[in-house]
Amino acid sequence: MRTITAVAQETVGGSGLDWQTLLATVVYAVLGVALLMLFAWVVNTVFRLDLRRELIEDQNTGLGVAFAGTAVAIALIIAATVVG
């Protein structure tokens, strides 16, 4: 009969959670955030908007919803690229 320690070591060892996997996850997360920030800058530049002024001072809810939807779409594309 196997001991509890052996079962625990098999479970932890077989989960694929080593330092390389953790480092890759952190790198991809930072890359994803950087790409989303780049996306916000591109939107500001291409459409000649001041997102901060539009969202905070003018309280443009429609622009906020449109920007959030686009950011989620870009995030899904980045996530699919990272996973796949």
Side-chain angles (χ1 to χ4, degrees), residues 3-36:
T3 63
I4 295 175
T5 307
V7 172
Q9 286 176 348
E10 287 176 11
T11 304
V12 172
S15 68
L17 200 69
D18 56 354
W19 69 272
Q20 292 172 336
T21 306
L22 186 62
L23 179 65
T25 302
V26 169
V27 167
Y28 282 128
V30 170
L31 180 65
V33 169
L35 287 174
L36 281 172

Side-chain angles (χ1 to χ4, degrees), residues 1 11-12 20 54 70 78:
M1 180 170 268
T11 304
V12 172
Q20 292 172 336
E54 288 287 332
T70 308
I78 293 170

Side-chain angles (χ1 to χ4, degrees), residues 25-71:
T25 302
V26 169
V27 167
Y28 282 128
V30 170
L31 180 65
V33 169
L35 287 174
L36 281 172
M37 290 172 59
L38 176 69
F39 164 74
W41 178 79
V42 167
V43 167
N44 273 339
T45 304
V46 169
F47 295 114
R48 297 184 183 176
L49 292 172
D50 184 10
L51 284 175
R52 184 181 188 286
R53 183 183 57 77
E54 288 287 332
L55 294 175
I56 295 174
E57 294 174 11
D58 296 343
Q59 296 184 355
N60 190 343
T61 307
L63 179 65
V65 170
F67 184 75
T70 308

